[in-house]
Amino acid sequence: MNVRRSIEFKPVAGSAPVQWCVSEGLVAYEPALAAMERRAEAISQGRAPECLWALQHPAMFTAGTSARPQDLLDAEFPVHVAGRGGQYTYHGPGQRVVYVMLDLNRRRRDLRAFVCALESWVIAALAQFDIAGETRSGRVGVWVPRPDKPAAPDGSPAEDKIAAIGIRVRRWVSFHGLAVNVEPNLTHYRGIVPCGISEQHLGVTSLDDLARARGTAAPGMGACDIALQQTFREIFGSLDLQSPETRGLV
């Protein structure tokens, strides 16, 4: 078991707050990628503050730099080459994507620590809903134990992935980011081997799926955003929720 302790990844003193930007509706992938890269470039040149961009995409698959062709089982949705780390993943309605554009020059030039900080952020946000997110060696992202599901033949307990993380860094400014399953259609994952993990006792889940398993009310997208905003500050520092760009980057 790996339960990630919260770690700090705050900027140097005097840094401007990170802007929280959110887009309503579904944002097409290619325009989002272009806008994200423009913003990352502006951050690297000192022309714009750091930014978190929260959005949802239409149903699609993205292929990271380690994606294997055999892991695309059924291309029922558009497939985009992402340029981020990782393998195949799914994006779609009901999933909160957060593109994380932070200047690591002002924080730490340590990619491993940065990924750990992102995992810690998601774990802290899940804890707001009494969900115990965990990390696993060799499996980037956040996992939830599922004692209600069958274990592997060797007795390994069932686990489901609830959040994926894939980043890229250019001139030590990050882009791409993370995706938290709030209430997506989980059957859409059948078209890929998510993140290259094919073991039968390892699956995917969502806040909605876990709530139904526990017989509780499911937190929606708004509640997820509030949890992410609150816990971001603990790890990464101040967050600006009142900026003029809160409607998104496209």
Side-chain angles (χ1 to χ4, degrees):
M1 177 187 297
N2 304 98
V3 180
R4 180 79 67 194
R5 289 185 179 180
S6 180
I7 62 173
E8 289 193 357
F9 210 82
K10 294 180 178 178
V12 296
S15 298
V18 177
Q19 287 185 341
W20 173 272
C21 304
V22 61
S23 292
E24 302 298 334
L26 302 179
V27 181
Y29 186 72
E30 295 298 341
L33 183 62
M36 176 172 53
E37 293 195 355
R38 286 194 302 269
R39 182 57 175 260
E41 180 67 17
I43 293 170
S44 73
Q45 295 176 357
R47 296 186 289 105
E50 298 172 302
C51 178
L52 301 178
W53 184 16
L55 51 83
Q56 297 179 70
H57 285 305
M60 64 180 185
F61 300 129
T62 62
T65 54
S66 302
R68 302 175 298 185
Q70 63 268 30
D71 287 344
L72 179 61
L73 307 178
D74 181 1
E76 60 177 315
F77 304 119
V79 181
H80 299 275
V81 177
R84 55 159 174 78
Q87 302 186 42
Y88 280 106
T89 194
Y90 166 79
H91 295 308
Q95 182 190 71
R96 175 51 89 207
V97 172
V98 182
Y99 289 132
V100 180
M101 291 159 274
L102 298 182
D103 186 356
L104 304 193
N105 293 294
R106 302 180 64 83
R107 296 170 183 271
R108 262 188 285 167
R109 290 185 175 186
D110 187 332
L111 294 182
R112 186 181 296 275
F114 181 47
V115 171
C116 288
L118 292 173
E119 291 173 331
S120 295
W121 176 27
V122 174
I123 289 170
L126 292 175
Q128 303 288 306
F129 308 114
D130 294 321
I131 295 172
E134 301 176 0
T135 59
R136 293 291 179 266
S137 178
R139 292 192 252 139
V140 173
V142 178
W143 296 78
V144 178
R146 295 302 301 266
D148 55 317
K149 290 187 173 183
D154 66 359
S156 299
E159 300 174 344
D160 285 344
K161 192 171 191 177
I162 193 168
I165 294 173
I167 63 167
R168 187 174 178 182
V169 172
R170 184 180 296 153
R171 288 187 283 277
W172 289 104
V173 174
S174 68
F175 53 112
H176 295 282
L178 56 89
V180 180
N181 287 339
V182 179
E183 49 183 358
N185 185 337
L186 296 178
T187 66
H188 289 177
Y189 278 91
R190 295 174 183 171
I192 56 172
V193 178
C195 302
I197 298 170
S198 58
E199 289 89 337
Q200 291 300 308
H201 68 296
L202 303 178
V204 290
T205 190
S206 66
L207 296 178
D208 178 71
D209 181 49
L210 292 173
R212 283 188 282 107
R214 298 192 297 186
T216 59
M221 195 68 68
C224 179
D225 284 351
I226 291 171
L228 288 170
Q229 291 164 2
Q230 291 175 341
T231 53
F232 178 87
R233 295 183 175 94
E234 301 168 6
I235 298 171
F236 293 97
S238 59
L239 190 62
D240 176 12
L241 302 179
Q242 305 298 323
S243 72
E245 296 185 57
T246 51
R247 293 187 179 180
L249 302 188
V250 294

